[in-house]
Amino acid sequence: MAVAGVVCFSLRPILIKLAYGYVVDPITLLALRMIFSLPFFLAAMAWVGRDSRRAPLTRRDASAIVMLGFVGYYFSSFVDFLGLQYISAGLGRLILFMYPTLVVLLSMAFLHKRPTAT
């Protein structure tokens, strides 16, 4: 499952770059992606909602989930789609997969924090 996820995640920018060849803007592509993914998110919500042992969400928790979903899913996808207009798909994935390493290196350079084994 992990290998399939990485392969699909890596194919996404290639498909986006192919779609840009048809003079489609990032907003339209992102809207199509959100429309096609909505049934899967609704199914996941229904699946998790079946568990009667879970405590119901408070209004504050629900609003925090919505904000995190917006920032973590919509905004990051939007920035990714915009970036793919200017760089290649391979470079975009390389930067994305190297992100943890870049954070460690920047922490060492600017915050003078050394990585530990724990």
Side-chain angles (χ1 to χ4, degrees):
M1 293 289 284
V3 171
V6 168
V7 168
C8 289
F9 187 70
S10 297
L11 283 176
R12 187 175 56 98
I14 295 168
L15 297 175
I16 293 168
K17 292 294 263 188
L18 288 173
Y20 282 158
Y22 292 102
V23 192
V24 177
D25 62 314
I27 304 283
T28 304
L29 284 177
L30 193 57
L32 288 170
R33 180 179 180 208
M34 297 296 165
I35 289 169
F36 288 132
S37 65
L38 182 64
F40 296 101
F41 283 113
L42 291 176
M45 186 176 70
W47 181 271
V48 171
R50 296 180 326 150
D51 190 8
S52 61
R53 295 175 290 170
R54 293 182 186 266
L57 286 177
T58 64
R59 190 170 259 181
R60 182 176 183 211
D61 289 341
S63 64
I65 289 170
V66 168
M67 285 304 298
L68 285 172
F70 176 77
V71 171
Y73 187 66
Y74 177 76
F75 184 70
S76 65
S77 295
F78 180 69
V79 172
D80 188 26
F81 276 49
L82 284 178
L84 286 170
Q85 286 183 316
Y86 304 106
I87 62 172
S88 69
L91 180 61
R93 294 309 97 177
L94 183 64
I95 292 169
L96 195 62
F97 283 120
M98 286 189 58
Y99 177 73
T101 305
L102 293 173
V103 169
V104 170
L105 292 175
L106 290 173
S107 293
M108 286 174 56
F110 294 108
L111 302 176
H112 306 291
K113 291 185 177 182
R114 312 256 328 140
T116 61
T118 57

